Amino acid sequence: MLKVNVYVTLKKEILDAQGLVIKKAIKQIGFDNVNEVRFGKFIQIEINDNNKSEEEIKKEIDYLSDKLLANPNIENYKYEIVRN
Amino acid sequence: MLKVNVYVTLKKEILDAQGLVIKKAIKQIGFDNVNEVRFGKFIQIEINDNNKSEEEIKKEIDYLSDKLLANPNIENYKYEIVRN
Amino acid sequence: MLKGRKPYFGILVFPGTNCEMDCYYVLNNLLKVNCKYIWHQETKDDDINAIIIPGGFSYGDYLRSGAIAKFSPVMSFVRDFAQNGGLVIGICNGFQILLEENLLPGAMLRNNTLKFICKYVNLKVEDADNPFTSNYNKGEIIKMPIRHNEGNYYIDENGLKKLKENNQILLRYCDENGNVNTDANPNGSVENIAGICNESRNVFGLMPHPEASCEKILGSDDGLNIFKSMIDFISKF
Amino acid sequence: MFDVEKEYKKLGLKYNEFLKIQEYLGRMPNYLELSIYSVMWSEHCSYKSSKALLKNFKTTGEYVLQGPGENAGVLDIGDNQAIVFKMESHNHPSAVEPYQGAATGIGGIIRDIFAMGARPICSLNSLRFGKLDEDEHQKYLFEMVVKGIGDYGNCMGIPTAGGEVYFDETYKGNCLVNAMSVGIVQKDKLIKSRAFGAGNYVVLIGSSTGRDGIHGATFASDELNEESESRRPSVQVGDPFMEKVVLEVCLELIDKNLILGLQDMGAAGITSSSVEMASKGNVGLDIDVAMVPLREASMLPYEIMISESQERMLALVEPSKLPEVKTICNKWNINCERIGIVNDSGLYRIFKGPELLGEIPVKSLTDGAPVYHHKFEKPKYFDDVCNFSLSEDDYLSLLNKYTYNEIFKKVISSPNICSKKWVWEQYDHMVQTNTVLLPGHDSAVIRVKDTKKAIAFSCDGNGRYCYLDPYKGAIIAVAETARNLACCGAVPMGLTDCLNFGTPEKPGIFWQFKNSIDGIIKACEVLEIPVISGNVSFYNESFGKAIYPTPIIGTAGLIKDVSNLIGMNFKDEEDIVILIGNDNDFKCSENDGMGGSEFMELFFNKVAGKCPDIDLSYEKTLDKLCVELINNGLVKSAHDVSTGGIAVTIAESCISGNIGAQINIDEKEKNLLKALYNENQSRIVISANKRNLKAIKNKCEGSQIAYLEIGTVGGKNFNINNKINIEINEIISLYNNTIEKIMSK
Ligand SMILES: Nc1ncnc2c1ncn2[C@@H]1O[C@H](COP(=O)(O)OP(=O)(O)O)[C@@H](O)[C@H]1O
Ligand SMILES: [Mg+2]
């Protein structure tokens, strides 16, 4: 079995309204040394291992992330593959 | 400067409606070896380092996560601290 | 080849779409033109000569609004249809789907209020030289409701420049006197953009709901001219 | 082996109930059976404390097709059409997890509506929280509850077009979230939940079953205390997208005549839905837990049986129709499993595959549930609190501190008075394009396409009045909804109620409950409004303190010709403002209408005094008159006097019309503050063109309803006796922005 963790974040140049609100709230709680907060998505995918090569799997995940999980117009993604 | 990455996920026993829909979509795209998809949040917090101990920072982040970032009724969180 | 025919609208239905009947009512009952629903699994339809992608929450808007709907079989039909010059209008969720499908440029972010917004807004018709807003006067101020979570239109600077050069911005949020300013921007959209078309001017996406403003009794009938413009365009030789 | 003696208590059963179970079974129950009894006999499912009293409601009438007893009540609106509605509480889940609690509350009540075969056309909600100022937790609850309601309803494409919100310390530890949903159906497509015909299948449609909400029904029937925190796993989460699909599937199945019965799954999941179906049809039922689609494979049979996973329905299907049913579910990509089969033994049997796990006589779970007649007694606070009234000195000292303008501004920007725009702008209240009177008016009005008709809805309940007098307070709640409808030209057809009270075992609480019910019965009788559905929520206490008794009433009215609709907004310069109705203000009556008023609470921090009086037959005449005036096109606006008194009523007509008014109130006989802010009942402020005054006056005289011209519409100022004189723009901004300001702080 394979686990893929995909992290999707808004591109730097895009105003992150959710991040801003969280930042404000964090400050309100009393942590005023916060600099920035960015809000993103975290998608865990469990795949039945089918003896694909790392290469192949990466290609698949890239495809998925580009087409579905992230919108390349506004978002970046990165991921990690965990084997167990 | 410190970076904290907080990962918030739904507890195992809680229905993950988003995850289910994404899983169906992934299958539709043609990846039928997907087993499970869980949808979560990914929050990046940048903190001005103030020479606090690891201990102290952890306490703060725990507090934040419990009170603000995660909903303890339905969500778990974990985090990692990255120093640079 | 699409012109000069009797208008026949196809209204797409995805799981979670919820404005399809509102569109149907306007076309069928108020405007008395042919229309039918098209299930998202369909791959072709030879009757229709205009497509409406109505509002709602296709696939719950889970992940990102419009993101999952674009994988439905019907979308390749929509793509071909648009490429052949057919009229496609995406309303609210339909607009989001068109963006996700890259039939229109840009993307939708969450409203900067981080709240769902349901209210009437004023819109300025920025262009009347296209099949969707030709029945208005350029500069006219019209009233329609918005009802969305993610209507904060984003496009990068280059994209914006292109939109402007080609007069692709058809509607902007404004106040009742027609001023386009931050106070009149309900959701944070770039330059108050409420609706845009593609370069070939046959695909139109807008966040406001014209189908919900077609009768005085509902508070406005300003939306009617969107559909009438389309009908005129199709019927014309 | 489990220790049955220990377990029954943990499941919330009482000793005598435990004995009764043994008697029904003729043996000791096993854990599964015990669990099933415990959920079926919970207050939530069995109404064991309230059943005896609820029987006395008037439940029949001119329009009633279906009274209480089905998933929702049904009213005939003519043209082979009917409307279906019900209100329900989700207080405890919302107090613990406001977003999901409110969302699943909406999901639950909507399922009740389409379980009758109706398409939902409108939702309303009644909300109660503690005071917002300076209380982050109350703000959080308010924010999340509204978001939960919005997100669910918006995704479903059902307009949330009305409701009410009040803030009072009494709800601080126990907020109220009551949701009402309304559907429309062709009369011949109505479907019932009764199971019948041995051999017919029981089919589960919708979401898979997980561990969520286990013991939720018992949780709802318990007070909130420290322990509720640790029982948090019983919170369910909602999936509005799934529900939207389930809705479309069910309506398609009914449309194609593929199912014989339909029942939603709410509290106590598969157990209560299937048992209720069997009980109503006087049949037995076999359930096979092995057939239930699960989210977690390791679930135990009892967990499967009582899980409260959302977005599931049970359908009764003839075996030959099952393939077609499956085809439709497949088209929509959702689960559809035959989990049971009707038998004629009268027994409820639970299997896992071939293995019999439990066997219970169906009727022992329903008709055989215990019924309690709790003791009741006038509570101690009562005489004390009611023997209070503001003295003339009190008013004078207030006027020494504040000007009339200042007092008015404070009233109009009280969270209990000001606009709830912040709330309803988060609700899609326009989808389906039938909302012809947007939120902010006296009722939500939904037109019926292709007819001249419209249906008006109003929700109301005043906990303060009920605290001061549960009987009168409940009457006023019914009367207020009827009056709200009348202001929109609607004739009341029927109502639903949601009765929110403390712990029924406490005699003082049960006294409040009993008196409230008597009040509703009385009001329904005189106003001729039958009760067609409802819900009871007990144990609304936190740390031993009960909320004010808060019966909420939701009433539906019929508008014959929607083109007559006027709204509450003043329209044109020089129109005349007229007060019709109860003229006690301008005489000296014993009850000054200040008891339980917003004014008293706001400036004297007190909820005390006499609940306002009401004369029901006068109210009925007034409402009829108002509808007649509207239907005859004689008036341009109508708005009733309620919380905040006549000053607020007139101001709201100005605000919504964006126009001022010059008002002159005769102060000879009483002080102006009292005249402006008392909450005496049965009053409506209308506006009309001068040329219609004579006709209006004649009609009032004919009905023996007092008629009083009190001013003129127009200008940019809101002016009363030159003592209050404020620019209308300033009032609009106070009225519209108060909540937003508090919430963004
Ligand atoms: N929670 C809510 N959801 C939707 N609309 C609401 C809500 N609360 C208040 N409203 C709307 O605000 C208006 C005023 O409500 P309320 O003060 O209770 O009126 P009234 O005093 O006439 O009973 C009504 O139109 C009502 O529907
Ligand atoms: Mg009212």
Side-chain angles (χ1 to χ4, degrees), chain B residues 13-15 17 21 24 71 73-74, chain D residues 96-97 232 237 239 241 295-296 333:
Chain B
E13 66 271 21
I14 300 280
L15 170 80
V21 167
K24 279 186 192 167
N71 175 348
N73 289 335
I74 52 174
Chain D
V96 173
E97 168 47 45
R232 272 179 164 178
V237 301
D239 179 356
F241 168 59
R295 239 164 32 226
E296 292 174 85
N333 210 355

Side-chain angles (χ1 to χ4, degrees), chain D residues 125 162-165 420 423-424 427 439-442 460 480 484 642:
Chain D
N125 54 96
E164 42 143 29
V165 194
K420 309 303 182 292
V423 176
W424 75 62
Y427 300 156
H441 290 268
D442 282 315
D460 220 280
E480 159 104 42
N484 279 335
S642 64

Side-chain angles (χ1 to χ4, degrees), chain D residues 125-127 160-166 416-417 420 423-424 427 438-444 458-460 480 484 639-640 642-643 652:
Chain D
N125 54 96
S126 269
L127 311 177
T160 304
E164 42 143 29
V165 194
Y166 284 98
N416 285 335
I417 302 284
K420 309 303 182 292
V423 176
W424 75 62
Y427 300 156
L438 301 180
H441 290 268
D442 282 315
S443 322
S458 169
C459 270
D460 220 280
E480 159 104 42
N484 279 335
H639 186 25
D640 71 314
S642 64
T643 319
E652 286 176 337

Side-chain angles (χ1 to χ4, degrees), chain D residues 136-273:
Chain D
E136 290 305 316
H137 187 61
Q138 297 307 314
K139 285 204 251 179
Y140 169 75
L141 290 173
F142 181 39
E143 172 115 33
M144 286 302 157
V145 163
V146 168
K147 196 167 165 44
I149 293 171
D151 282 357
Y152 208 100
N154 298 347
C155 184
M156 291 288 294
I158 300 164
T160 304
E164 42 143 29
V165 194
Y166 284 98
F167 307 95
D168 191 293
E169 282 309 298
T170 191
Y171 306 106
K172 189 172 174 174
N174 196 121
C175 61
L176 301 185
V177 176
N178 291 182
M180 172 170 165
S181 185
V182 190
I184 194 164
V185 60
Q186 295 286 317
K187 262 161 68 178
D188 48 357
K189 291 286 178 192
L190 267 169
I191 191 162
K192 298 209 171 178
S193 56
R194 189 168 74 90
F196 58 89
N200 280 334
Y201 294 155
V202 169
V203 176
L204 192 158
I205 292 169
S207 203
S208 55
T209 299
R211 284 207 170 84
D212 40 352
I214 287 180
H215 294 309
T218 24
F219 177 64
S221 311
D222 226 339
E223 291 172 36
L224 293 176
N225 51 33
E226 293 99 331
E227 235 179 85
S228 355
E229 291 270 313
S230 64
R231 297 223 309 278
R232 272 179 164 178
S234 37
V235 169
Q236 324 93 314
V237 301
D239 179 356
F241 168 59
M242 175 62 83
E243 178 127 321
K244 167 74 173 157
V245 172
V246 173
L247 160 70
E248 297 303 335
V249 165
C250 288
L251 294 185
E252 190 170 336
L253 292 172
I254 292 167
D255 197 51
K256 296 189 167 147
N257 290 318
L258 293 175
I259 58 179
L260 304 166
L262 191 60
Q263 166 72 38
D264 68 292
M265 281 197 208
I270 295 177
T271 296
S272 78
S273 54

Side-chain angles (χ1 to χ4, degrees), chain D residues 44 47 50 54 57 67-73 85-89 109 112 179 495-499 531-537 552-554:
Chain D
H44 198 86
Y47 286 78
S50 56
L54 298 176
F57 282 141
E70 274 295 330
N71 284 308
F85 63 88
K86 184 175 192 276
M87 190 171 356
E88 213 164 61
S89 69
I109 191 64
D112 274 319
L495 66 78
T496 182
D497 63 75
C498 193
L499 309 175
V531 177
I532 65 160
S533 58
N535 175 253
V536 179
S537 170
I552 304 288
I553 305 295

